[in-house]
Amino acid sequence: MKVSLERIPLHVIWLGLFPVLALLSSNLGQVRPTIGYRALALSALLALVLLVLFRLILGDWSRAGLLTSVGLLLFFSYGHVYN
C-alpha cells in the first residue's frame, strides 16, 4: 500500500513542537536556544509515536491525527488546567 505525504497529518508534529518553541521564545533572555534541542526532539518523537500508534489502532490517518492532537493538547495544557 502506497502512502502519500498528503494523507499524513503533519500538523501533529507542529502541535508537538509549539509548546517547546513558545517556552524558549518567552525565556530567550535567560537560556540559550541550543538548550531546547533535546526537548524539541523528544516532543516531535512523542507526536510521531502517538500518531503511528493511533493509526495502527484506528486504521485512518485523519482520525489518528485528530486523536493525537487532542492528546497532545491535553498533555501540554495540564499545568495550566491544574492551576
Side-chain angles (χ1 to χ4, degrees), residues 14 38 43 47:
W14 295 115
R38 186 179 357 177
S43 184

Side-chain angles (χ1 to χ4, degrees), residues 6-79:
E6 296 168 352
R7 299 191 61 184
I8 298 174
L10 295 177
H11 71 275
V12 173
I13 304 220
W14 295 115
L15 187 64
L17 294 178
F18 176 75
V20 177
L21 292 173
L23 189 61
L24 279 173
S25 70
S26 66
N27 294 314
L28 202 53
Q30 288 85 23
V31 296
R32 294 184 313 272
T34 57
I35 298 295
Y37 288 159
R38 186 179 357 177
L40 282 171
L42 287 175
S43 184
L45 184 66
L46 172 72
L48 279 174
V49 166
L50 283 175
L51 180 64
V52 170
L53 180 70
F54 287 139
R55 164 63 170 92
L56 292 174
I57 292 171
L58 298 172
D60 184 27
W61 282 113
S62 60
R63 283 190 281 171
L66 179 65
L67 196 56
T68 303
S69 297
V70 169
L72 286 173
L73 283 172
L74 290 174
F75 177 77
F76 285 119
S77 66
Y78 172 74

